[in-house]
Amino acid sequence: MYKIAVIPGDGTGPEVIREGLKVLEAVAKLTGFEYQTKIFDLGGERYLKTGEVFPEEIFEEIKKFDAIYLGAIGHPEVKPGILERGILLKLRFGLDQYINLRPVKLYPGVETPLKDKSPQDIDFVVIRENTEGLYVGEGEFINKGNENEIAIQISRNTYRGIERCIRYAFEYTRKRNKQKKLTLCAKTNVLNYASDLWWRVFQEVAKDYPDIKTDYAHVDATCMWMVKNPEWFDVIVTDNMFGDIITDLGAIIQGGLGIAAGGNINPQGISMFEPIGGSAPKYAGKNVINPLAAICALSMLLEHIGEVKAAQLIENAVIEVTSKKLKSLAAGKMGYSTSEVGDLVVKHLVG
Ligand code: IPM
Ligand code: MN
Protein backbone atom coordinates (compact mmCIF):
# COMPACT_ATOMS: atom_id res chain seq x y z
CA MET A 1 0.00 0.00 0.00
CA TYR A 2 1.65 3.23 -1.15
CA LYS A 3 1.11 6.43 0.79
CA ILE A 4 1.13 9.48 -1.44
CA ALA A 5 1.12 13.02 -0.05
CA VAL A 6 -0.71 15.36 -2.40
CA ILE A 7 -0.06 19.09 -2.39
CA PRO A 8 -2.34 20.68 -5.01
CA GLY A 9 -1.00 24.17 -4.16
CA ASP A 10 -1.82 27.38 -5.98
CA GLY A 11 -3.48 28.59 -9.17
CA THR A 12 -4.12 25.80 -11.65
CA GLY A 13 -2.33 23.28 -9.41
CA PRO A 14 -5.54 21.84 -7.92
CA GLU A 15 -7.18 21.39 -11.36
CA VAL A 16 -4.29 19.50 -12.88
CA ILE A 17 -3.74 17.39 -9.76
CA ARG A 18 -7.43 16.45 -9.79
CA GLU A 19 -6.92 14.99 -13.29
CA GLY A 20 -3.75 13.25 -12.18
CA LEU A 21 -5.61 11.61 -9.30
CA LYS A 22 -8.32 10.48 -11.70
CA VAL A 23 -5.65 8.77 -13.80
CA LEU A 24 -4.04 7.30 -10.67
CA GLU A 25 -7.32 5.72 -9.60
CA ALA A 26 -7.87 4.21 -13.04
CA VAL A 27 -4.34 2.89 -13.51
CA ALA A 28 -4.27 1.39 -10.01
CA LYS A 29 -7.43 -0.59 -10.78
CA LEU A 30 -6.05 -1.68 -14.11
CA THR A 31 -2.66 -2.87 -12.90
CA GLY A 32 -3.75 -3.87 -9.40
CA PHE A 33 -1.83 -1.85 -6.84
CA GLU A 34 -3.18 -0.13 -3.77
CA TYR A 35 -2.53 3.34 -2.50
CA GLN A 36 -3.73 5.98 -0.09
CA THR A 37 -3.59 9.70 -0.65
CA LYS A 38 -3.76 12.58 1.77
CA ILE A 39 -4.30 16.12 0.55
CA PHE A 40 -2.19 18.82 2.22
CA ASP A 41 -3.50 22.31 2.02
CA LEU A 42 -0.40 24.44 1.52
CA GLY A 43 0.01 27.49 -0.66
CA GLY A 44 -0.94 31.11 -1.12
CA GLU A 45 -4.53 30.88 0.11
CA ARG A 46 -3.52 29.32 3.39
CA TYR A 47 -0.77 31.87 3.84
CA LEU A 48 -3.07 34.82 3.16
CA LYS A 49 -5.72 33.45 5.54
CA THR A 50 -3.52 32.30 8.42
CA GLY A 51 -0.03 33.73 7.89
CA GLU A 52 1.38 30.19 7.92
CA VAL A 53 3.59 29.06 5.07
CA PHE A 54 4.51 25.54 6.10
CA PRO A 55 3.71 24.47 9.67
CA GLU A 56 6.43 22.23 11.07
CA GLU A 57 4.00 19.45 12.07
CA ILE A 58 2.83 19.15 8.46
CA PHE A 59 6.41 18.94 7.27
CA GLU A 60 7.03 16.18 9.82
CA GLU A 61 3.88 14.34 8.73
CA ILE A 62 4.85 14.48 5.06
CA LYS A 63 8.11 12.72 5.92
CA LYS A 64 6.08 9.58 6.63
CA PHE A 65 4.83 9.25 3.04
CA ASP A 66 6.31 7.23 0.19
CA ALA A 67 6.16 10.05 -2.35
CA ILE A 68 4.80 13.55 -2.88
CA TYR A 69 2.63 14.71 -5.76
CA LEU A 70 2.75 18.50 -6.13
CA GLY A 71 0.64 20.83 -8.31
CA ALA A 72 2.13 24.31 -8.32
CA ILE A 73 3.38 26.96 -5.89
CA GLY A 74 3.12 30.73 -6.45
CA HIS A 75 0.36 33.25 -5.80
CA PRO A 76 -0.05 36.69 -7.43
CA GLU A 77 -0.94 38.38 -4.11
CA VAL A 78 2.06 37.00 -2.23
CA LYS A 79 5.49 38.60 -2.61
CA PRO A 80 7.65 36.40 -4.88
CA GLY A 81 9.89 34.07 -2.92
CA ILE A 82 7.84 33.57 0.23
CA LEU A 83 5.92 30.53 -0.98
CA GLU A 84 8.60 29.31 -3.38
CA ARG A 85 11.26 29.34 -0.68
CA GLY A 86 8.88 28.42 2.14
CA ILE A 87 7.20 25.45 0.46
CA LEU A 88 8.82 24.24 -2.75
CA LEU A 89 12.44 24.82 -1.80
CA LYS A 90 11.78 23.77 1.79
CA LEU A 91 10.65 20.39 0.49
CA ARG A 92 13.53 20.06 -1.98
CA PHE A 93 16.17 21.06 0.56
CA GLY A 94 14.52 19.68 3.70
CA LEU A 95 14.00 16.25 2.17
CA ASP A 96 17.42 16.40 0.50
CA GLN A 97 15.94 15.81 -2.96
CA TYR A 98 19.26 16.44 -4.57
CA ILE A 99 18.31 15.43 -8.09
CA ASN A 100 15.89 17.35 -10.25
CA LEU A 101 15.15 15.02 -13.15
CA ARG A 102 13.63 16.69 -16.18
CA PRO A 103 13.00 14.66 -19.32
CA VAL A 104 12.80 16.67 -22.53
CA LYS A 105 10.89 14.40 -24.86
CA LEU A 106 8.82 15.42 -27.86
CA TYR A 107 5.84 13.09 -28.14
CA PRO A 108 4.40 12.16 -31.54
CA GLY A 109 1.80 14.65 -32.72
CA VAL A 110 3.06 17.44 -30.48
CA GLU A 111 4.17 20.60 -32.20
CA THR A 112 7.65 21.91 -31.48
CA PRO A 113 8.76 25.43 -32.39
CA LEU A 114 11.94 23.88 -33.82
CA LYS A 115 11.71 23.66 -37.57
CA ASP A 116 12.44 20.21 -39.04
CA LYS A 117 12.81 18.48 -35.67
CA SER A 118 10.84 15.38 -34.80
CA PRO A 119 10.44 13.04 -31.81
CA GLN A 120 13.65 11.20 -32.81
CA ASP A 121 15.58 14.45 -32.44
CA ILE A 122 14.17 15.70 -29.16
CA ASP A 123 14.67 13.05 -26.52
CA PHE A 124 17.09 13.85 -23.74
CA VAL A 125 17.11 14.28 -19.97
CA VAL A 126 18.42 17.11 -17.85
CA ILE A 127 19.73 16.21 -14.41
CA ARG A 128 19.74 19.39 -12.38
CA GLU A 129 21.46 19.56 -8.99
CA ASN A 130 18.63 20.53 -6.64
CA THR A 131 19.99 21.48 -3.21
CA GLU A 132 22.95 23.81 -3.75
CA GLY A 133 24.32 26.53 -6.01
CA LEU A 134 22.67 29.94 -6.11
CA TYR A 135 19.53 28.46 -4.56
CA VAL A 136 21.02 28.26 -1.06
CA GLY A 137 19.86 31.83 -0.47
CA GLU A 138 23.13 33.02 1.03
CA GLY A 139 24.49 36.48 0.53
CA GLU A 140 24.10 40.00 1.78
CA PHE A 141 23.31 43.61 0.98
CA ILE A 142 26.02 46.09 1.77
CA ASN A 143 25.00 49.77 2.02
CA LYS A 144 21.38 48.83 1.42
CA GLY A 145 19.27 51.63 0.02
CA ASN A 146 21.93 53.95 -1.32
CA GLU A 147 23.96 54.28 -4.48
CA ASN A 148 26.88 52.42 -2.99
CA GLU A 149 24.75 49.35 -2.50
CA ILE A 150 26.22 45.96 -3.26
CA ALA A 151 24.19 42.74 -3.43
CA ILE A 152 26.14 39.55 -3.00
CA GLN A 153 24.53 36.22 -3.93
CA ILE A 154 26.50 33.14 -3.09
CA SER A 155 26.62 29.99 -5.16
CA ARG A 156 27.55 27.22 -2.76
CA ASN A 157 28.92 24.10 -4.44
CA THR A 158 30.27 21.30 -2.31
CA TYR A 159 32.39 18.41 -3.48
CA ARG A 160 29.93 15.97 -1.94
CA GLY A 161 26.91 17.72 -3.43
CA ILE A 162 28.40 17.76 -6.91
CA GLU A 163 29.78 14.25 -6.68
CA ARG A 164 26.49 12.59 -5.75
CA CYS A 165 24.69 14.45 -8.52
CA ILE A 166 27.26 13.61 -11.19
CA ARG A 167 27.40 9.99 -10.07
CA TYR A 168 23.61 9.75 -10.28
CA ALA A 169 23.84 11.22 -13.80
CA PHE A 170 26.40 8.63 -14.93
CA GLU A 171 24.31 5.80 -13.47
CA TYR A 172 21.21 7.22 -15.11
CA THR A 173 22.94 7.52 -18.50
CA ARG A 174 24.07 3.92 -18.28
CA LYS A 175 20.62 2.67 -17.32
CA ARG A 176 18.90 4.78 -19.98
CA ASN A 177 21.12 3.02 -22.49
CA LYS A 178 20.54 5.34 -25.48
CA GLN A 179 23.52 7.30 -26.79
CA LYS A 180 25.34 6.57 -23.52
CA LYS A 181 26.58 10.13 -23.51
CA LEU A 182 26.68 12.52 -20.58
CA THR A 183 27.22 16.23 -21.16
CA LEU A 184 28.37 18.50 -18.37
CA CYS A 185 26.85 21.96 -18.71
CA ALA A 186 28.69 24.69 -16.78
CA LYS A 187 30.59 27.91 -17.43
CA THR A 188 34.24 27.06 -16.92
CA ASN A 189 35.41 30.08 -18.95
CA VAL A 190 34.02 32.48 -16.33
CA LEU A 191 33.06 30.75 -13.08
CA ASN A 192 36.57 30.07 -11.86
CA TYR A 193 35.43 28.50 -8.59
CA ALA A 194 32.04 26.87 -9.07
CA SER A 195 32.45 25.51 -12.59
CA ASP A 196 36.06 24.60 -11.92
CA LEU A 197 34.97 22.23 -9.16
CA TRP A 198 32.16 20.81 -11.29
CA TRP A 199 34.66 20.16 -14.08
CA ARG A 200 37.16 18.42 -11.81
CA VAL A 201 34.57 16.23 -10.16
CA PHE A 202 33.09 15.33 -13.54
CA GLN A 203 36.50 14.16 -14.82
CA GLU A 204 37.11 12.17 -11.68
CA VAL A 205 33.75 10.38 -11.57
CA ALA A 206 33.94 9.70 -15.32
CA LYS A 207 36.84 7.29 -14.65
CA ASP A 208 34.36 4.89 -13.05
CA TYR A 209 32.19 4.88 -16.21
CA PRO A 210 34.42 4.01 -19.18
CA ASP A 211 31.34 2.87 -21.12
CA ILE A 212 29.83 6.38 -21.02
CA LYS A 213 30.98 9.05 -23.48
CA THR A 214 31.53 12.42 -21.86
CA ASP A 215 31.04 15.83 -23.34
CA TYR A 216 31.13 19.41 -22.12
CA ALA A 217 29.21 22.53 -23.16
CA HIS A 218 29.12 26.00 -21.66
CA VAL A 219 25.62 26.92 -20.56
CA ASP A 220 25.18 29.59 -23.23
CA ALA A 221 26.28 27.18 -25.94
CA THR A 222 24.01 24.51 -24.44
CA CYS A 223 21.05 26.83 -25.09
CA MET A 224 22.14 27.25 -28.67
CA TRP A 225 22.66 23.53 -29.28
CA MET A 226 19.35 22.64 -27.65
CA VAL A 227 17.69 24.69 -30.39
CA LYS A 228 20.01 23.88 -33.28
CA ASN A 229 20.91 20.23 -32.66
CA PRO A 230 18.87 18.80 -29.78
CA GLU A 231 19.60 15.30 -31.12
CA TRP A 232 23.19 15.65 -29.87
CA PHE A 233 22.03 15.37 -26.28
CA ASP A 234 21.34 12.22 -24.33
CA VAL A 235 21.77 13.26 -20.68
CA ILE A 236 22.88 16.68 -19.45
CA VAL A 237 24.09 17.26 -15.88
CA THR A 238 24.25 20.77 -14.50
CA ASP A 239 23.93 22.97 -11.44
CA ASN A 240 20.73 24.29 -9.91
CA MET A 241 20.49 27.69 -11.64
CA PHE A 242 21.65 26.60 -15.07
CA GLY A 243 19.34 23.61 -14.80
CA ASP A 244 16.40 25.84 -13.97
CA ILE A 245 17.03 27.99 -17.02
CA ILE A 246 17.79 25.33 -19.61
CA THR A 247 14.80 23.21 -18.59
CA ASP A 248 12.36 26.00 -19.43
CA LEU A 249 13.99 26.04 -22.85
CA GLY A 250 13.69 22.25 -22.84
CA ALA A 251 10.01 22.48 -21.97
CA ILE A 252 9.25 24.73 -24.87
CA ILE A 253 11.01 22.53 -27.44
CA GLN A 254 9.08 19.50 -26.18
CA GLY A 255 5.80 21.31 -26.75
CA GLY A 256 5.50 23.68 -23.80
CA LEU A 257 4.77 23.78 -20.12
CA GLY A 258 1.55 21.89 -20.79
CA ILE A 259 3.51 18.65 -21.08
CA ALA A 260 6.77 19.13 -19.14
CA ALA A 261 7.14 17.17 -15.91
CA GLY A 262 9.91 16.71 -13.40
CA GLY A 263 10.96 14.74 -10.37
CA ASN A 264 12.73 16.00 -7.25
CA ILE A 265 14.52 12.88 -6.19
CA ASN A 266 16.21 11.69 -3.06
CA PRO A 267 17.34 8.21 -4.08
CA GLN A 268 17.42 7.16 -0.42
CA GLY A 269 14.43 9.16 0.77
CA ILE A 270 11.13 10.76 -0.22
CA SER A 271 10.82 12.12 -3.74
CA MET A 272 8.40 14.65 -5.16
CA PHE A 273 6.94 14.90 -8.65
CA GLU A 274 5.46 17.98 -10.27
CA PRO A 275 4.50 19.61 -13.55
CA ILE A 276 7.31 22.12 -14.09
CA GLY A 277 5.12 25.02 -15.26
CA GLY A 278 3.99 27.42 -12.58
CA SER A 279 0.60 28.13 -11.06
CA ALA A 280 -0.63 30.05 -14.15
CA PRO A 281 -3.00 32.26 -12.09
CA LYS A 282 -4.70 33.77 -15.11
CA TYR A 283 -6.08 30.35 -16.07
CA ALA A 284 -6.94 29.22 -12.54
CA GLY A 285 -10.42 27.80 -12.05
CA LYS A 286 -11.29 27.97 -15.74
CA ASN A 287 -10.85 24.28 -16.58
CA VAL A 288 -8.74 25.19 -19.63
CA ILE A 289 -5.19 24.37 -18.50
CA ASN A 290 -3.48 21.28 -19.88
CA PRO A 291 -3.21 18.54 -17.23
CA LEU A 292 -0.80 16.38 -19.25
CA ALA A 293 2.29 17.73 -17.47
CA ALA A 294 0.77 16.73 -14.12
CA ILE A 295 -0.24 13.36 -15.58
CA CYS A 296 3.31 12.82 -16.87
CA ALA A 297 4.61 13.75 -13.40
CA LEU A 298 2.35 11.05 -11.99
CA SER A 299 3.84 8.58 -14.44
CA MET A 300 7.32 9.51 -13.19
CA LEU A 301 6.17 9.09 -9.59
CA LEU A 302 4.81 5.62 -10.28
CA GLU A 303 7.96 4.57 -12.09
CA HIS A 304 9.99 5.83 -9.15
CA ILE A 305 8.07 3.86 -6.53
CA GLY A 306 8.31 0.72 -8.66
CA GLU A 307 5.00 0.65 -10.53
CA VAL A 308 6.80 0.58 -13.86
CA LYS A 309 3.94 -1.02 -15.78
CA ALA A 310 1.44 1.62 -14.60
CA ALA A 311 3.90 4.37 -15.49
CA GLN A 312 4.31 2.96 -18.97
CA LEU A 313 0.55 2.63 -19.50
CA ILE A 314 0.11 6.29 -18.60
CA GLU A 315 2.85 7.37 -20.98
CA ASN A 316 1.30 5.28 -23.76
CA ALA A 317 -2.10 6.84 -23.10
CA VAL A 318 -0.60 10.35 -23.15
CA ILE A 319 1.01 9.58 -26.51
CA GLU A 320 -2.32 8.33 -27.88
CA VAL A 321 -4.02 11.50 -26.72
CA THR A 322 -1.36 13.92 -28.02
CA SER A 323 -1.05 12.19 -31.37
CA LYS A 324 -4.72 11.60 -32.08
CA LYS A 325 -6.80 14.12 -30.16
CA LEU A 326 -5.30 17.40 -29.04
CA LYS A 327 -5.11 20.30 -31.47
CA SER A 328 -2.58 22.13 -29.36
CA LEU A 329 -1.16 21.74 -25.87
CA ALA A 330 -1.78 25.38 -24.95
CA ALA A 331 -4.37 26.34 -22.35
CA GLY A 332 -7.72 26.96 -24.03
CA LYS A 333 -6.51 25.78 -27.43
CA MET A 334 -6.59 22.04 -26.87
CA GLY A 335 -10.10 21.53 -28.22
CA TYR A 336 -10.93 19.94 -24.84
CA SER A 337 -11.22 21.16 -21.27
CA THR A 338 -8.83 20.17 -18.47
CA SER A 339 -11.20 17.49 -17.20
CA GLU A 340 -11.90 16.17 -20.70
CA VAL A 341 -8.19 15.70 -21.31
CA GLY A 342 -8.00 13.75 -18.03
CA ASP A 343 -10.92 11.62 -19.19
CA LEU A 344 -9.24 11.02 -22.54
CA VAL A 345 -6.10 9.74 -20.84
CA VAL A 346 -8.19 7.41 -18.65
CA LYS A 347 -10.03 6.15 -21.73
CA HIS A 348 -6.76 5.35 -23.48
CA LEU A 349 -5.29 3.40 -20.59
CA VAL A 350 -5.09 -0.12 -21.86
CA GLY A 351 -3.32 -2.96 -20.15
C1 IPM B 1 11.18 25.32 -11.15
C2 IPM B 1 10.68 26.65 -10.70
C3 IPM B 1 11.22 26.94 -9.31
C4 IPM B 1 12.73 26.95 -9.41
C5 IPM B 1 10.69 28.24 -8.69
C6 IPM B 1 9.18 28.27 -8.64
C7 IPM B 1 11.29 28.51 -7.34
O1 IPM B 1 11.02 27.64 -11.61
O2 IPM B 1 10.83 24.31 -10.51
O3 IPM B 1 11.91 25.25 -12.13
O4 IPM B 1 13.33 27.99 -9.71
O5 IPM B 1 13.32 25.90 -9.17
MN1 MN C 1 12.05 26.88 -13.35
Side-chain angles (χ1 to χ4, degrees):
M1 170 78 85
Y2 302 108
K3 287 175 68 196
I4 302 171
V6 181
I7 307 173
D10 296 318
T12 51
E15 292 161 64
V16 298
I17 289 295
R18 181 191 68 211
E19 298 313 307
L21 293 177
K22 203 191 250 177
V23 174
L24 175 60
E25 191 183 335
V27 84
K29 272 204 200 104
L30 194 62
T31 60
F33 66 86
E34 285 186 68
Y35 68 95
Q36 278 172 359
T37 54
K38 179 163 178 182
I39 310 270
F40 290 92
D41 158 37
L42 295 168
E45 295 301 330
R46 182 192 189 114
Y47 174 68
L48 291 170
K49 240 181 273 150
T50 67
E52 291 173 335
V53 179
F54 202 153
E56 209 49 42
E57 63 276 12
I58 298 187
F59 187 67
E60 287 307 313
E61 190 184 347
I62 287 178
K63 285 187 181 164
K64 300 193 188 104
F65 283 75
D66 297 309
I68 305 167
Y69 189 34
L70 175 83
I73 295 295
H75 193 291
E77 285 153 49
V78 180
K79 186 177 168 225
I82 294 180
L83 303 170
E84 291 84 349
R85 218 164 247 301
I87 303 173
L88 185 61
L89 299 186
K90 184 178 165 80
L91 285 160
R92 289 180 183 168
F93 281 69
L95 298 175
D96 203 21
Q97 295 165 339
Y98 61 88
I99 298 297
N100 195 327
L101 189 69
R102 298 191 162 181
V104 178
K105 187 168 178 181
L106 179 66
Y107 286 132
V110 174
E111 240 178 64
T112 172
L114 301 187
K115 186 158 74 69
D116 303 330
K117 296 295 176 190
S118 65
Q120 291 106 281
D121 304 311
I122 303 175
D123 181 6
F124 61 93
V125 175
V126 177
I127 294 178
R128 161 185 174 188
E129 200 292 323
N130 212 31
T131 54
E132 298 197 333
L134 280 166
Y135 277 70
V136 295
E138 286 175 41
E140 63 177 316
F141 297 115
I142 298 171
N143 300 326
K144 190 166 186 184
N146 68 52
E147 287 177 1
N148 294 319
E149 181 162 355
I150 303 170
I152 296 174
Q153 189 85 47
I154 289 175
S155 176
R156 178 173 294 280
N157 297 265
T158 66
Y159 177 90
R160 286 181 202 288
I162 298 171
E163 201 262 353
R164 64 183 183 173
C165 176
I166 288 179
R167 194 166 289 282
Y168 183 95
F170 272 104
E171 291 288 337
Y172 187 91
T173 308
R174 183 181 269 171
K175 197 157 155 233
R176 177 173 150 90
N177 201 18
K178 293 242 162 99
Q179 295 181 48
K180 291 199 149 196
K181 175 170 145 190
L182 179 62
T183 303
L184 171 66
C185 163
K187 186 74 183 169
T188 52
N189 53 349
V190 174
L191 303 183
N192 47 340
Y193 296 106
S195 289
D196 189 81
L197 183 56
W198 272 83
W199 169 264
R200 284 184 282 121
V201 177
F202 187 70
Q203 304 309 319
E204 188 181 313
V205 177
K207 291 186 196 138
D208 294 339
Y209 299 88
D211 52 321
I212 305 298
K213 291 186 277 297
T214 56
D215 200 0
Y216 173 81
H218 294 318
V219 61
D220 48 349
T222 302
C223 291
M224 180 183 70
W225 297 126
M226 277 172 70
V227 171
K228 192 170 180 292
N229 293 102
E231 67 280 4
W232 286 357
F233 294 114
D234 181 13
V235 181
I236 299 175
V237 65
T238 191
D239 78 5
N240 212 338
M241 187 80 258
F242 294 155
D244 177 47
I245 297 167
I246 70 170
T247 54
D248 262 31
L249 178 56
I252 213 70
I253 69 174
Q254 73 179 118
L257 293 169
I259 190 96
N264 302 274
I265 295 172
N266 176 339
Q268 291 85 35
I270 305 158
S271 300
M272 172 168 77
F273 299 82
E274 55 175 340
I276 81 169
S279 55
K282 76 172 181 187
Y283 297 117
K286 300 203 169 116
N287 202 27
V288 296
I289 197 87
N290 190 342
L292 289 179
I295 292 169
C296 290
L298 173 72
S299 168
M300 291 180 76
L301 183 155
L302 291 173
E303 180 175 347
H304 182 80
I305 62 178
E307 292 301 325
V308 179
K309 168 110 190 286
Q312 193 57 56
L313 294 186
I314 295 173
E315 190 177 20
N316 295 348
V318 168
I319 291 172
E320 282 295 299
V321 171
T322 56
S323 58
K324 306 218 172 99
K325 300 283 180 185
L326 295 195
K327 280 193 232 141
S328 146
L329 298 185
K333 302 205 174 102
M334 300 182 289
Y336 297 91
S337 67
T338 305
S339 39
E340 284 168 342
V341 174
D343 292 339
L344 280 172
V345 173
V346 169
K347 213 175 98 193
H348 287 86
L349 283 174
V350 278

